[in-house]
Amino acid sequence: MLSYIGRSSQFAPALKGTAQAVANGLRNVVPGAVDAAAPELVQKAPLALTPASMAKRCPTGAVVAKAGLGATSQVRYAHTDIQVPDFSAYRRDDVKDTRAKAGESAPTRSAFTYMLVGGGTVTGIYSAKAVVSQFVSSMSASADVLALAKIEIKLEDIPEGKSVTFKWRGKPLFVRHRTDEEVSTEGAVDMGSLRDPEHDSVRCKEPKWLVVLGVCTHLGCVPIADAGDYGGYYCPCHGSHYDTAGRIRKGPAPLNLEIPEYSFPEDGLLIVG
Amino acid sequence: MASKLAKPSLLKNVVNRGYAAQAAAQQSYNLPTQDVKVTTLPSGAVVASLENNAPVSRVAVLFKAGSRYETAPNKGAAHILRTSAGLGTKNASAFAITRTVQQAGGSLTAESGREHVMYSLDMARNNVDSSLEVLASVATQPSFKPWELADNLKRVKIELAMRDPSTLALELLHGAAFRDAGLGNSIFVPDYQLGKLSQGLMTDFVASTHLASRMAVVGLGVDHDGLVSYAKSLGVGSGDGVPAVGSYGSGSLRQENGAAVTCVAVAGAGASIGSSDAASLAVAQQILGIGPNTKYGSNASSVLAKAVASSGGLGSASAINVNYSDSGLFGYFIMADSASVGKVIDAVHSAVKELKVTQADVARGKKMAKAAIHMATESGAEHLEDMGLQALLTGTYANPSAAAAAIDGVTASSVQSAVSKVMGGKLSMGAIGSLSAVPYVDQL
């Protein structure tokens, strides 16, 4: 071995190769080479393995190469570096197993979907209806207008035999505290003689109180209280006489005075409207 | 706008519909066949054209700028030149060139071999005039912008990766036969030169090879006088440029890659264009065989096919005959399964070395050679290339009939002596594949 190295002299490193298996402090591992660039990916030409295909590839003359616009190698870039994201977090557990048959879990999956969608649709329709009706009803009368639509009257302030006029919904409202004789008189009137037959008990919920609209049913004037031939109201425009129940007795008016909606929620309190 | 040709006229659709509505008129045309016209300009450029009445016109500009004119610093310049055709020039950008050519319905190709580079433009007959200036600027005024050259490298690398073993074997053969200069330069850029061929080197290569005395302009389906004035208008320099160097040496270049199929090319000094042996070797090539003429055919009449069949190996062989302007190669090319390549080579080599040419062989070979010459002009592209190479390398044009007449003068003895001279001299080999069974040149 000594003679071998001696004869080779400076060529000794070239005549044999050394590989270091384990590095230590005395002899460090030589840093490796830089990674060469990846070779170009081209589609490999098919192998010629039969004499017929080999014969096609045996040249007979000079080699000439062509390049041009649309006349040379076709380069197709296959983007193998594109990663398709993993959507497992969003998938149903039934279908995550690739070997499971989709048809077996299909009824369960479709039932779940249909229930969810059906329930959601019904809820949605209800919500939509509520929202729409809220918006539509906002176009009706506002609270302050509705508040004006009712009137609250204290009945202790009205003495017997007196008719008080209030303004209600833009129209005069007559509230009359009737005496007992007026009540009995009106109760005894014959229905056949009335133009618009209505019994007194029908017109007045409480016999002592008469609540009528003060608008003559002829042409809309306001009758005067405590006037006329029957002790009730008299319309000065065309001479209609109403009695203490507000019924037309004499004159051109066709109907009795209108009775609004009213109630006595408490003693001494009248609410009209 | 990128292209003036792009604007369609407003009435185009109306006119087209109008023509379509008319009944087809019965007309017959009797166009006379014309001959190739060749003109040599005072600057040394050769212009050749043929009116072949084809609907597609082809014009090509050729220069003696093949790989043989590369020197050591600019090895591979011809490859880069060929792949850069269509990139920006001094008066048009790459986009403008592409758009103009595509909208005129043409195709622009650059082709290069060992001795020539050819820029050709195929165009519909009506549109040739408007796009010839594109060809002029691509051929004579490339600008080789550094960023375009850098982007082009990817394409060059893909082309290098796409070469098949047959091409590589032939390149190795040329490298072995003509050594490391001139014809031995590969038509592909060597790996170590990728990225080193800068704008300066490429411009110098073009300046030293794209000169009027080294130029040929050929056309098919164009008017000759128009082509002559076009050639005169090409602004190329004068002078002689890079001389042709190198001659046949001998050697062998072998590349072991363990492939399943091995390609071996063996050749000796052949005939140059115009030499007395050229016709004889062309006939010899046909006698030896250039592959089956029909798909899956047995090629039973070819000497090489019989030799391969008798060897018991799995392979195919063809005869190589290449003529360059001052030298040539004649030999055989074998593609065989790596296990039986040894048997195939021995059989083929002895068949070629001991070739005994009979009269029947010569008659058959002459017919096939003449047929090959005539059939080469069937395709417009091949015809143009043939016309261009003849104009460039010989300065004249011999039409197929004249070339066929040269074949007629071949006799059995001339073929025999030509082949013996080649095989008796020094041989070169280029081989790629699993080469353990492939003998060396001196062992053949």
Side-chain angles (χ1 to χ4, degrees):
Chain A
M1 184 155 141
L2 202 60
S3 60
Y4 165 72
I5 293 173
R7 275 188 220 141
S8 322
S9 70
Q10 72 267 31
F11 295 114
L15 292 169
K16 55 184 168 60
T18 319
Q20 184 162 10
V22 180
N24 58 18
L26 289 175
R27 260 200 228 147
N28 293 321
V29 175
V30 177
V34 177
D35 237 345
E40 294 301 331
L41 277 177
V42 291
Q43 185 168 23
K44 291 199 184 336
L47 274 181
L49 296 170
T50 62
S53 48
M54 285 175 187
K56 279 194 254 179
R57 288 178 174 75
C58 280
T60 58
V63 185
V64 150
K66 264 196 192 188
L69 305 177
T72 178
S73 46
Q74 188 182 48
V75 177
R76 294 188 183 193
Y77 295 101
H79 294 283
T80 53
D81 57 340
I82 291 182
Q83 310 285 341
V84 176
D86 181 30
F87 291 113
S88 313
Y90 302 92
R91 299 183 71 202
R92 297 188 207 217
D93 293 329
D94 286 335
V95 295
K96 276 187 189 165
D97 182 13
T98 52
R99 284 175 306 219
K101 282 206 175 120
E104 281 167 22
S105 59
T108 322
R109 285 186 282 126
S110 55
F112 173 75
T113 305
Y114 289 152
M115 284 218 300
L116 211 61
V117 171
T121 308
V122 169
T123 311
I125 291 176
Y126 271 122
S127 316
K129 176 217 163 232
V131 169
V132 168
S133 57
Q134 268 173 17
F135 279 107
V136 170
S137 65
S138 74
M139 291 194 283
S140 65
S142 60
D144 60 343
V145 170
L146 287 173
L148 288 175
K150 278 194 185 185
I151 190 170
E152 205 177 274
I153 299 167
K154 279 213 179 75
L155 296 172
E156 291 107 28
D157 302 331
I158 306 175
E160 247 189 51
K162 187 92 184 328
S163 174
V164 182
T165 309
F166 297 96
K167 183 178 174 200
W168 175 71
R169 294 189 183 176
K171 293 188 276 248
L173 179 77
F174 295 150
V175 179
R176 192 187 182 95
H177 193 171
R178 297 202 298 179
T179 60
D180 295 332
E181 342 162 358
E182 286 170 350
V183 175
S184 52
T185 313
E186 300 307 334
V189 168
D190 175 26
M191 290 294 106
S193 67
L194 291 173
R195 185 175 298 157
D196 183 12
E198 264 186 331
H199 196 265
D200 184 51
S201 53
V202 168
R203 291 179 63 80
C204 303
K205 283 188 194 163
E206 295 271 325
K208 296 286 280 184
W209 294 99
L210 172 74
V211 182
V212 288
L213 276 182
V215 176
C216 177
T217 52
H218 178 229
L219 286 176
C221 289
V222 181
I224 303 168
D226 292 324
D229 294 341
Y230 297 85
Y233 302 91
Y234 170 72
C235 180
C237 295
H238 304 99
S240 302
H241 298 256
Y242 298 90
D243 62 15
T244 52
R247 296 180 287 197
I248 181 66
R249 291 301 198 90
K250 196 154 78 170
L255 296 169
N256 300 338
L257 289 174
E258 189 186 334
I259 303 213
E261 196 186 312
Y262 64 94
S263 63
F264 297 93
E266 285 167 12
D267 252 349
L269 200 67
L270 166 69
I271 291 192
V272 183
Chain B
M1 187 133 169
S3 161
K4 299 182 284 275
L5 297 163
K7 292 189 211 163
S9 82
L10 291 168
L11 294 176
K12 183 176 87 111
N13 287 330
V14 175
V15 166
N16 281 348
R17 293 297 295 163
Y19 283 152
Q22 288 178 1
Q26 293 294 326
Q27 274 182 320
S28 64
Y29 296 95
N30 211 358
L31 296 169
T33 48
Q34 301 189 22
D35 278 333
V36 176
K37 296 189 189 141
V38 182
T39 309
T40 308
L41 300 181
S43 54
V46 180
V47 182
S49 81
L50 169 66
E51 179 58 79
N52 60 354
N53 307 318
V56 170
S57 296
R58 301 168 197 267
V59 177
V61 177
L62 291 95
F63 289 102
K64 281 185 184 164
S67 60
R68 78 177 300 178
Y69 300 104
E70 291 163 6
T71 56
N74 60 16
K75 276 250 167 80
H79 186 183
I80 303 294
L81 180 67
R82 162 175 94 235
T83 52
S84 325
L87 295 181
T89 63
K90 293 200 176 71
N91 38 19
S93 68
F95 173 70
I97 293 170
T98 311
R99 247 353 224 158
T100 311
V101 170
Q102 284 183 339
Q103 283 182 333
S107 87
L108 178 69
T109 316
E111 180 188 293
S112 79
R114 290 193 139 77
E115 294 196 287
H116 72 283
V117 78
M118 177 165 99
Y119 305 94
S120 75
L121 182 71
D122 311 335
M123 192 72 71
R125 191 176 269 269
N126 300 337
N127 295 340
V128 180
D129 296 329
S130 45
S131 31
L132 278 180
E133 49 182 293
V134 169
L135 180 65
S137 105
V138 165
T140 59
Q141 294 172 316
S143 61
F144 298 118
K145 297 206 169 63
W147 55 92
E148 286 186 335
L149 285 181
D151 288 342
N152 204 29
L153 270 185
K154 187 157 178 78
R155 176 192 186 172
V156 171
K157 285 181 189 165
I158 287 175
E159 283 191 11
L160 290 175
M162 279 175 65
R163 294 175 294 177
D164 62 344
S166 312
T167 314
L168 290 169
L170 270 192
E171 296 297 299
L172 290 170
L173 173 68
H174 280 83
F178 296 106
R179 310 277 166 84
D180 197 29
L183 287 167
N185 286 338
S186 169
I187 61 170
F188 299 103
V189 59
D191 286 335
Y192 63 86
Q193 283 281 79
L194 286 171
K196 297 222 181 79
L197 286 159
S198 61
Q199 183 184 36
L201 283 172
M202 291 303 304
T203 319
D204 288 342
F205 182 71
V206 167
S208 60
T209 54
H210 286 41
L211 303 166
S213 57
R214 303 162 73 103
M215 179 171 84
V217 181
V218 290
L220 275 180
V222 288
D223 170 49
H224 189 73
D225 296 324
L227 199 66
V228 168
S229 57
Y230 174 68
K232 282 184 189 156
S233 73
L234 289 174
V236 284
S238 58
D240 283 330
V242 183
V245 295
S247 58
Y248 181 82
S250 84
S252 72
L253 278 175
R254 298 158 63 100
Q255 185 174 337
E256 173 78 53
N257 62 8
V261 170
T262 302
C263 301
V264 178
V266 174
S272 60
I273 296 178
S275 95
S276 48
D277 276 344
S280 310
L281 286 177
V283 174
Q285 183 189 23
Q286 299 291 339
I287 294 172
L288 285 173
I290 52 169
N293 288 321
T294 55
K295 209 170 175 181
Y296 305 120
S298 62
N299 202 14
S301 57
S302 124
V303 169
L304 290 181
K306 283 187 219 154
V308 171
S310 68
S311 73
L314 179 71
S316 177
S318 64
I320 304 175
N321 180 25
V322 190
N323 302 323
Y324 296 114
S325 50
D326 55 359
S327 139
L329 285 176
F330 182 85
Y332 55 85
F333 186 97
I334 290 166
M335 193 160 173
D337 180 52
S338 298
S340 53
V341 65
K343 288 187 277 190
V344 173
I345 290 188
D346 291 334
V348 167
H349 189 78
S350 40
V352 177
K353 199 147 172 84
E354 293 143 25
L355 180 70
K356 293 284 173 280
V357 177
T358 65
Q359 290 297 338
D361 284 339
V362 170
R364 180 174 54 85
K366 277 158 73 167
K367 276 215 192 76
M368 287 164 68
K370 284 192 269 186
I373 290 172
H374 280 285
M375 283 200 266
T377 54
E378 275 184 355
S379 146
E382 277 195 54
H383 192 180
L384 186 79
E385 186 188 332
D386 176 54
M387 223 161 60
L389 281 175
Q390 287 199 42
L392 186 71
L393 300 175
T394 66
T396 58
Y397 178 71
N399 62 15
S401 320
I407 300 281
D408 275 328
V410 167
T411 63
S413 55
S414 68
V415 172
Q416 187 75 63
S417 59
V419 174
S420 326
K421 197 167 87 172
V422 170
M423 298 308 288
K426 290 218 184 111
L427 294 177
S428 321
M429 172 196 281
I432 179 166
S434 305
L435 303 179
S436 49
V438 174
Y440 282 80
V441 180
D442 53 351
Q443 293 167 344
L444 280 170

